[in-house]
Amino acid sequence: MARYNLVVVEKIHEADDTCSLRFELPAEVADDFAYSPGQFVHVRAVVDGAPVERSYSLSSAPQVDPHFQLTIKRVESGALSPFLVEQVQRGDRLEVSEPQGRFFDENAGPARHYLLFAAGSGISPLYSILKWLLGRERGDRVTLVYASRCESGIIFRAELDALAAAHGERLRLVHVLSRPAPGWTGESGRLVADAIERLLGPRDAGGLPEIAYLCGPEAFMASVAEALEQRGLAPRDIRRESFATAEAVSADALDDETTVRILPEGTAEDTPVAAAPQTELTVAIDGEEHSIVPQPGETILAALQRAEIDAPFSCQEGTCLSCMCRVEQGAVRMRRHELIGLTPEDLGEGIALACLSKAEGTRVRVSFEDV
């Protein structure tokens, strides 16, 4: 995963605890920073003498915005966000990775009704997706339901209201406050199933198929997803982006009952692989190859981190898809996970997530190249 030192050319205060940073992209790195709606980048900085890295979503939209922008909400106990929100200024340099993630599907088929549900700073990737959808003028309809604590905490408030005014027939914007001040006339309360169904109304009378994108705290997304399934959406049509950093999965927990076996593309499912007490794992990444021996209890990602091999990752729980790799030899066991955005076609092509997989067999090779 390549990283570059980029200059902050503008800092925008979006709310009391949130800012957006816009970066200069020199011509020689512009191709590396081509991105899709809803992607994120890794940001690395030295804070109090120690290097810290976190991922943040891009809030700019490709082919729509002339700038490259990410948005950060300060987390009181955060290792990096307070530094970025409070101390970074125009002219500073930050180490930024190439864009990552496969949250959004740039559907080239028929028009759809997009249901976007955001809570707090979860608006960032959905704001990118929203602008891109409205910009392509294909006939899609969008409903954005945005949950915030209070009016002053609504990120991109003016911009969202302007989009709603400009695209009234295609965009329906609903703000929901959990702690409204006296005088608030909009929606309020928790987004439980009954409230969600009331806000959305009947399924699209125009016949547009519905697909949903969710971003926010895990409890929020679980509640919304349950309501959308009751509405009739298939689980595959409910996509989630998680900002949570979960504890790393232990390979000891990846048994046959809780995993799916992934083999190189074109290999029969029942193909045996040579087994031995010790597995040699070869990894192709960033134009180089590394050979390591995973220790007991290590996932592929954990083994790479122990060997100080710079592999892409973010959430470590299988929702961001940034640690996708391709199995080229041997086999891996990957935990079954209801939130994984991999398709059966991906699995058939040998695609696995390093954070949820362990190597299986004497010789295993995976590649992070061109996945």
Side-chain angles (χ1 to χ4, degrees):
M1 178 173 57
R3 294 180 174 86
Y4 301 87
N5 284 308
L6 301 183
V7 177
V8 177
V9 294
E10 189 172 0
K11 182 177 184 179
I12 303 164
H13 292 279
E14 307 288 2
D16 293 342
D17 57 357
T18 305
C19 76
S20 292
L21 300 178
R22 292 181 179 177
F23 292 90
E24 178 185 12
L25 295 179
E28 60 270 19
V29 305
D31 289 344
D32 293 328
F33 281 87
Y35 65 102
S36 298
Q39 286 194 302
F40 61 87
V41 296
H42 298 276
V43 179
R44 180 182 290 175
V46 176
V47 181
D48 297 330
V52 181
E53 180 172 320
R54 293 291 185 270
S55 60
Y56 298 101
S57 289
L58 290 163
S59 51
S60 52
Q63 292 93 50
V64 176
D65 293 318
H67 47 265
F68 186 84
Q69 172 179 294
L70 57 89
T71 299
I72 306 106
K73 181 181 178 69
R74 184 182 65 238
V75 178
E76 293 302 331
S77 59
L80 185 56
S81 63
F83 172 77
L84 296 177
V85 173
E86 298 168 2
Q87 298 187 41
V88 167
Q89 300 297 329
R90 179 180 177 182
D92 290 345
R93 288 181 175 270
L94 291 170
E95 193 172 342
V96 181
S97 77
E98 298 171 334
Q100 306 284 317
R102 292 176 58 181
F103 177 39
F104 181 66
D105 173 20
E106 296 182 35
N107 170 48
R112 292 176 173 176
H113 182 192
Y114 288 84
L115 309 178
L116 310 183
F117 285 82
S121 59
I123 188 62
S124 295
L126 299 185
Y127 184 45
S128 172
I129 291 169
L130 171 65
K131 290 184 289 184
W132 187 85
L133 287 170
L134 296 175
R136 70 175 175 172
E137 298 182 351
R138 192 192 59 168
D140 298 306
R141 290 183 53 231
V142 186
T143 296
L144 170 60
V145 180
Y146 182 17
S148 307
R149 286 190 177 183
C150 56
E151 277 192 86
S152 63
I154 300 176
I155 303 169
F156 310 128
R157 173 70 182 276
E159 293 88 345
L160 289 172
D161 289 347
L163 286 173
H167 300 274
E169 294 184 358
R170 296 182 57 204
L171 170 61
R172 180 168 176 249
L173 171 63
V174 181
H175 289 294
V176 182
L177 301 185
S178 60
R179 299 179 183 177
W184 171 254
T185 58
E187 299 288 339
S188 61
R190 295 181 61 240
L191 281 175
V192 295
D194 290 347
I196 290 171
E197 189 59 29
R198 177 178 58 80
L199 291 175
L200 293 180
R203 291 291 293 265
D204 196 316
L208 294 181
E210 292 185 342
I211 185 168
Y213 288 87
L214 287 50
C215 191
E218 295 300 324
F220 165 82
M221 292 194 293
S223 177
V224 173
E226 182 179 0
L228 293 176
E229 288 190 31
Q230 293 175 10
R231 181 177 174 82
L233 272 71
R236 67 175 179 275
D237 291 329
I238 304 173
R239 315 289 177 84
R240 313 187 201 190
E241 178 79 312
S242 174
F243 286 163
T245 300
E247 292 186 10
V249 172
S250 170
D252 291 337
L254 299 175
D255 56 33
D256 290 356
E257 293 184 358
T258 62
T259 60
V260 58
R261 188 167 181 253
I262 301 178
L263 297 159
E265 183 176 10
T267 305
E269 293 182 7
D270 58 352
T271 300
V273 295
Q278 183 168 303
T279 296
E280 181 181 16
L281 173 64
T282 301
V283 179
I285 187 168
D286 291 337
E288 299 180 354
E289 287 195 0
H290 307 269
S291 292
I292 55 179
V293 177
Q295 295 180 352
E298 282 188 330
T299 61
I300 292 173
L301 178 61
L304 294 174
Q305 292 175 326
R306 175 178 54 81
E308 298 184 351
I309 297 171
D310 191 15
F313 76 96
S314 180
C315 72
Q316 298 192 59
E317 60 179 9
T319 58
C320 72
L321 306 185
S322 61
C323 65
M324 286 192 306
C325 57
R326 189 184 303 276
V327 181
E328 297 184 338
Q329 182 181 359
V332 305
R333 284 275 175 188
M334 186 180 74
R335 188 177 75 181
R336 298 180 183 275
H337 194 297
E338 65 176 357
L339 302 185
I340 286 177
L342 297 182
T343 66
E345 291 74 20
D346 291 328
L347 302 184
E349 294 174 5
I351 303 299
L353 300 179
C355 71
L356 300 181
S357 301
K358 68 176 180 179
E360 182 180 79
T362 306
R363 296 283 184 268
V364 178
R365 175 187 169 89
V366 300
S367 175
F368 288 83
E369 308 281 2
D370 300 323
V371 180

